Amino acid sequence: MNDTAEAEVVLGNLVTALQMLGNCPEFTYLIPEVRVNLAYALREAQTSEDVAAVEGRVTAVHGRPHAAGMPGWGASDHLARRLLEVRKYDPGINAVINFKCDQEIIEVVQQYCMEKGLLLGAVDRTEEPEEVAGRDGSSMPWKVKQLFKKYGVMPRIFYEGAGWGKEPLFLALGDSAVEVTKTAIDIARRYSEKISR
Amino acid sequence: MNDTAEAEVVLGNLVTALQMLGNCPEFTYLIPEVRVNLAYALREAQTSEDVAAVEGRVTAVHGRPHAAGMPGWGASDHLARRLLEVRKYDPGINAVINFKCDQEIIEVVQQYCMEKGLLLGAVDRTEEPEEVAGRDGSSMPWKVKQLFKKYGVMPRIFYEGAGWGKEPLFLALGDSAVEVTKTAIDIARRYSEKISR
Amino acid sequence: MNDTAEAEVVLGNLVTALQMLGNCPEFTYLIPEVRVNLAYALREAQTSEDVAAVEGRVTAVHGRPHAAGMPGWGASDHLARRLLEVRKYDPGINAVINFKCDQEIIEVVQQYCMEKGLLLGAVDRTEEPEEVAGRDGSSMPWKVKQLFKKYGVMPRIFYEGAGWGKEPLFLALGDSAVEVTKTAIDIARRYSEKISR
Amino acid sequence: MNDTAEAEVVLGNLVTALQMLGNCPEFTYLIPEVRVNLAYALREAQTSEDVAAVEGRVTAVHGRPHAAGMPGWGASDHLARRLLEVRKYDPGINAVINFKCDQEIIEVVQQYCMEKGLLLGAVDRTEEPEEVAGRDGSSMPWKVKQLFKKYGVMPRIFYEGAGWGKEPLFLALGDSAVEVTKTAIDIARRYSEKISR
């Protein structure tokens, strides 16, 4: 596959993932205050410009997940840098999605990971050294490194507890935007079932 | 390339084409009353469901072309059937875009085709047999056949004059959504220059 | 009510009408090729800039009517000029919506008007004098005048048959965007029921 | 003004405010991680359903503030409850907007308030009693009360420092959505000038 085809596969895979989210009203329960984004990196990605994400993020409109804009290159800063950092430890990862994290959702994800035989990671921000938390941009490499050191591998799903000024969040990593979206949707449906019982 | 990759290339190519249109304010001059759509068919497409297009078409918001929704399968009926019909005569065609047609735009396109060495086609709806014009759905096969018979090949760009209850329209055909969009943008810029002189 | 309040009532009334349309999937059957717009004029409106309408018109996304942009001043040219023309004959009219017209819809509207005791108007474009049809912009005053002359009043609902290069269309007139939208929604529900029988 | 007219004025005022934001690219600098919302309450508002806000919040698309959906009743939970709480102390307040807060923006707002002779409020979340911070929903009444007690009046502009799991935020209060938006835009332009020097 040449470079143009690879870039189109990335964008098209994001479109397919967004269609899946749009058809899953239960996912609105997992939209955090910072909203959701999906990022997917080219194999040889060096900077955020080589990572595609959703312009304006994914929010809820009329009870359904709704992409504010189209997928585009450089449309995410935070998730894109996250992907590039994660790849330093596990180059097989191409895509990431973030979603809401609270005690109830953690329990659902624990159950999910147990059933699927997946490792569930956790970053404890209270362990974050002060000199790292204080400086913009140095927090993320620390968190990714902490995860890798703690588990010996990069967990495909993990959460970061609340930080000072930072909402707690789940992140799911995987081969493609469609793959991480399937994970998030599976969790959303389990959570929705749980709270409607 | 497997089927999933092919489908993603089609969607991703449409996203790229939509970004190009969104960055071309001059294209708003070429948006007809029926709005613009872009359709791109899978190689083995049999029905409209195998053709991707833009949900809700492309319209103008704040002076820029704006896709009302995402690209999706089965999102166009008319352009999709048109593509399938055109392929009966020229299987190498995968994508189509429509845009506005009036006397001034025709002149711009004539000039464009001359410079590029392209054949410019025209369907004259006044020649449409009454039994065809009257029945829903039989008009399109007639128009495509008329084009092919008249030129011996399928012209990559052509217009259909006004019909009874039908707005005149230009159509550009090509290998991909990006290719037909480049053609339309090139024409839009020439037209914009002409009318601002 | 001062001028600012009047302008806000107009925009807010359009938002309410758009919410009603968004909650009426049956209305997608009435979306014509040229898409739907809603226009609402200030009492003292002189030009299109004094008439609010929907940026990018109303289209269908995922089976529901969807406004491509926000309501805004000067967002419609055609419907705005129509409103201003209609008011020369009936200054009590403030708003207009257009929707699809075919034989089946005409029958539904005839039934609707009979039940409601409303006059149903029709413009026959085949009677349009050639010198009017040919010149841009002179067709509309002729059509509005023809309606008024034929019925002695301005009918609150009427259709224009197909013209050369022109899709046939219904128009509903009324006091506010919400009022004309209620009419259109009532007709959409009757039509939907009819075709699903 | 009757109830319907009041409701339409509220929605129409929000539309006008959103148009102003959409025309102010500098405002994208002030969009926080949790995105922006605008809320406007009816005079007799009792619950969130009597407060209009923007469906899906305001995000940035292609370098411009972009409303994900239309203004609608009950579209905000958090800002709506905030408004209702604030009104217990100052019933003259109808609208609120939130925007980003960091040290540089605080300096710009300090300068702005000095020039305009406005009181700038600050909520220090480190003073938040543990039993309040821990329980969902009891944090907001505490914060609003703290503000009022500290200043003796409800400041029309204030910020809340970072909390555990909470992004720091500015809030501007006022008579209408347009008024608070003008404040936010004025600050955005000053901030943009400052950082581009």
Side-chain angles (χ1 to χ4, degrees):
Chain A
M1 205 184 296
N2 64 16
D3 286 0
T4 304
E6 192 204 348
E8 288 175 349
V9 162
V10 165
L11 293 174
N13 186 278
L14 281 163
V15 168
T16 305
L18 289 171
Q19 300 276 18
M20 290 163 61
L21 287 178
N23 290 324
C24 180
E26 298 93 338
F27 185 74
T28 55
Y29 295 123
L30 295 193
I31 298 180
E33 290 299 321
V34 300
R35 311 289 101 176
V36 166
N37 214 333
L38 270 163
Y40 193 152
L42 293 173
R43 280 166 307 177
E44 306 294 336
Q46 301 295 322
T47 73
S48 300
E49 292 303 309
D50 306 325
V51 181
V54 185
E55 277 271 0
R57 301 186 185 171
V58 178
T59 181
V61 175
H62 287 120
R64 282 175 179 277
H66 172 84
M70 286 278 156
W73 302 101
S76 158
D77 176 51
H78 190 85
L79 276 191
R81 286 190 295 117
R82 171 82 67 158
L83 258 184
L84 299 175
E85 194 66 31
V86 156
R87 276 185 165 182
K88 294 182 185 166
Y89 301 91
D90 184 345
I93 289 168
N94 301 314
V96 59
I97 190 172
N98 70 308
F99 55 93
K100 192 174 171 176
C101 174
D102 64 20
Q103 196 46 46
E104 277 202 288
I105 300 171
I106 290 174
E107 285 164 25
V108 170
V109 177
Q110 281 170 334
Q111 184 67 29
Y112 171 84
C113 286
M114 233 162 55
E115 283 178 33
K116 302 279 181 186
L118 286 171
L119 172 67
L120 171 56
V123 182
D124 186 353
R125 272 172 160 166
T126 59
E127 294 174 13
E128 200 169 345
E130 221 170 291
E131 72 275 18
V132 160
R135 284 178 306 147
D136 208 35
S138 59
S139 190
M140 192 194 294
W142 175 86
K143 290 185 295 187
V144 172
K145 192 177 176 185
Q146 198 208 29
L147 267 176
F148 189 74
K149 271 174 60 184
K150 194 166 161 188
Y151 300 101
V153 294
M154 190 53 63
R156 292 295 173 114
I157 183 161
F158 62 93
Y159 63 95
E160 306 178 347
W164 194 249
K166 302 286 182 187
E167 187 180 10
L169 281 180
F170 262 104
L171 288 113
L173 307 171
D175 288 351
S176 72
V178 165
E179 189 196 294
V180 299
T181 298
K182 278 183 182 161
T183 300
I185 284 177
D186 195 343
I187 292 164
R189 296 219 163 108
R190 287 157 181 257
Y191 176 71
S192 163
E193 219 170 275
K194 186 186 177 188
I195 60 174
S196 64
R197 268 205 297 268
Chain B
M1 206 185 294
N2 64 17
D3 288 359
T4 304
E6 191 203 346
E8 289 174 348
V9 162
V10 165
L11 292 173
N13 186 276
L14 281 163
V15 168
T16 305
L18 289 170
Q19 301 276 20
M20 290 163 61
L21 286 179
N23 290 325
C24 179
E26 297 94 338
F27 186 74
T28 55
Y29 295 123
L30 295 194
I31 299 181
E33 290 299 320
V34 299
R35 311 291 101 176
V36 166
N37 214 333
L38 270 163
Y40 192 152
L42 293 172
R43 280 165 306 176
E44 306 293 336
Q46 301 296 321
T47 73
S48 298
E49 293 303 309
D50 305 324
V51 180
V54 185
E55 277 271 0
R57 303 184 184 170
V58 177
T59 179
V61 176
H62 287 120
R64 280 173 181 278
H66 171 84
M70 285 276 156
W73 301 101
S76 157
D77 177 50
H78 190 84
L79 276 192
R81 286 189 295 116
R82 169 83 67 162
L83 258 184
L84 299 175
E85 194 67 31
V86 155
R87 275 184 166 184
K88 293 181 187 168
Y89 302 91
D90 184 345
I93 288 168
N94 301 314
V96 59
I97 191 171
N98 70 306
F99 56 92
K100 191 173 170 175
C101 174
D102 64 19
Q103 195 47 46
E104 277 202 289
I105 300 172
I106 290 173
E107 285 164 25
V108 171
V109 178
Q110 282 170 333
Q111 183 68 29
Y112 171 84
C113 286
M114 232 161 56
E115 282 179 33
K116 303 280 181 184
L118 285 171
L119 171 66
L120 170 56
V123 182
D124 186 351
R125 273 171 160 167
T126 58
E127 295 174 13
E128 201 168 346
E130 220 170 292
E131 71 275 18
V132 159
R135 283 177 307 147
D136 208 37
S138 59
S139 188
M140 192 194 295
W142 175 85
K143 290 185 295 187
V144 173
K145 194 178 175 184
Q146 198 209 26
L147 267 175
F148 188 75
K149 271 173 59 184
K150 193 166 162 186
Y151 301 101
V153 295
M154 188 55 61
R156 292 297 173 114
I157 184 160
F158 62 92
Y159 63 96
E160 305 178 348
W164 193 250
K166 303 287 180 186
E167 187 179 10
L169 281 179
F170 261 104
L171 287 112
L173 307 171
D175 287 350
S176 72
V178 165
E179 188 196 293
V180 297
T181 299
K182 279 183 183 161
T183 300
I185 284 177
D186 196 343
I187 291 164
R189 296 218 163 108
R190 287 158 181 256
Y191 176 71
S192 163
E193 218 169 278
K194 185 185 177 187
I195 60 174
S196 64
R197 267 205 297 266
Chain C
M1 203 184 296
N2 63 17
D3 287 359
T4 304
E6 192 204 346
E8 288 173 351
V9 162
V10 165
L11 292 173
N13 186 277
L14 281 163
V15 169
T16 305
L18 289 171
Q19 299 277 19
M20 290 163 61
L21 286 179
N23 290 324
C24 178
E26 297 93 339
F27 185 75
T28 55
Y29 295 124
L30 296 194
I31 298 180
E33 290 300 320
V34 299
R35 311 290 102 175
V36 167
N37 214 333
L38 270 162
Y40 192 152
L42 294 172
R43 279 166 307 177
E44 306 294 336
Q46 301 296 322
T47 73
S48 298
E49 292 304 308
D50 305 324
V51 181
V54 185
E55 278 270 1
R57 303 188 184 169
V58 177
T59 180
V61 175
H62 286 120
R64 284 174 178 276
H66 172 84
M70 287 277 156
W73 301 101
S76 158
D77 177 51
H78 189 85
L79 276 192
R81 286 190 295 116
R82 170 83 68 159
L83 257 184
L84 298 174
E85 194 66 31
V86 155
R87 276 185 163 181
K88 294 182 185 165
Y89 301 91
D90 184 345
I93 288 168
N94 300 314
V96 59
I97 191 172
N98 69 306
F99 55 93
K100 191 174 172 176
C101 174
D102 65 20
Q103 195 48 44
E104 277 201 289
I105 300 171
I106 290 174
E107 284 163 26
V108 171
V109 177
Q110 282 170 333
Q111 183 66 29
Y112 170 83
C113 286
M114 232 161 56
E115 283 178 33
K116 303 279 182 188
L118 288 170
L119 172 67
L120 171 56
V123 182
D124 186 352
R125 273 172 158 165
T126 58
E127 295 174 13
E128 200 169 345
E130 221 170 290
E131 71 275 19
V132 159
R135 283 178 307 146
D136 207 34
S138 59
S139 189
M140 193 194 295
W142 176 84
K143 290 184 294 185
V144 173
K145 193 179 176 186
Q146 196 209 29
L147 267 175
F148 188 74
K149 271 174 59 183
K150 192 166 163 189
Y151 301 101
V153 294
M154 189 53 62
R156 291 296 173 113
I157 184 161
F158 61 92
Y159 63 95
E160 305 178 348
W164 193 250
K166 303 286 180 184
E167 189 180 9
L169 281 180
F170 262 103
L171 287 112
L173 307 171
D175 287 352
S176 72
V178 165
E179 189 196 293
V180 298
T181 298
K182 278 184 183 161
T183 299
I185 284 177
D186 195 343
I187 292 165
R189 295 219 163 108
R190 286 157 181 256
Y191 176 71
S192 163
E193 219 170 275
K194 186 186 177 187
I195 59 174
S196 64
R197 266 204 297 268
Chain D
M1 205 185 294
N2 64 18
D3 287 1
T4 304
E6 192 204 347
E8 287 174 349
V9 162
V10 165
L11 293 173
N13 186 277
L14 280 163
V15 169
T16 305
L18 290 171
Q19 300 277 21
M20 289 163 62
L21 286 178
N23 290 325
C24 179
E26 297 94 337
F27 185 75
T28 55
Y29 295 123
L30 295 193
I31 299 181
E33 290 298 321
V34 300
R35 311 290 103 176
V36 167
N37 214 333
L38 271 162
Y40 192 152
L42 293 173
R43 279 164 309 174
E44 306 293 336
Q46 301 295 322
T47 73
S48 299
E49 293 303 310
D50 305 324
V51 181
V54 185
E55 278 272 1
R57 302 186 184 171
V58 177
T59 181
V61 175
H62 286 120
R64 283 173 180 277
H66 172 84
M70 286 275 156
W73 301 100
S76 158
D77 178 50
H78 190 85
L79 276 192
R81 287 190 295 117
R82 170 82 68 162
L83 257 185
L84 298 175
E85 195 66 31
V86 156
R87 276 184 165 185
K88 293 181 186 167
Y89 301 91
D90 184 345
I93 288 168
N94 300 315
V96 59
I97 191 171
N98 70 307
F99 56 92
K100 192 174 171 175
C101 173
D102 64 20
Q103 195 47 45
E104 277 202 289
I105 300 172
I106 289 174
E107 284 163 25
V108 171
V109 177
Q110 281 170 335
Q111 184 67 29
Y112 171 83
C113 286
M114 233 161 57
E115 282 178 33
K116 303 278 181 185
L118 286 171
L119 172 67
L120 170 57
V123 181
D124 186 351
R125 272 170 161 168
T126 59
E127 295 174 14
E128 200 168 347
E130 220 170 292
E131 71 274 18
V132 159
R135 283 177 307 147
D136 207 35
S138 58
S139 189
M140 192 195 294
W142 175 86
K143 290 184 295 188
V144 172
K145 193 179 174 184
Q146 197 209 28
L147 267 176
F148 188 75
K149 272 174 59 183
K150 193 166 162 188
Y151 300 102
V153 295
M154 188 55 60
R156 291 297 174 112
I157 184 161
F158 62 92
Y159 63 96
E160 306 178 347
W164 194 251
K166 303 287 181 187
E167 187 179 10
L169 281 180
F170 263 104
L171 288 111
L173 307 171
D175 287 350
S176 72
V178 165
E179 189 196 293
V180 298
T181 299
K182 279 183 182 161
T183 300
I185 284 177
D186 195 343
I187 292 164
R189 296 218 163 108
R190 287 157 181 256
Y191 176 72
S192 163
E193 220 170 276
K194 185 185 177 188
I195 59 174
S196 64
R197 268 204 298 267

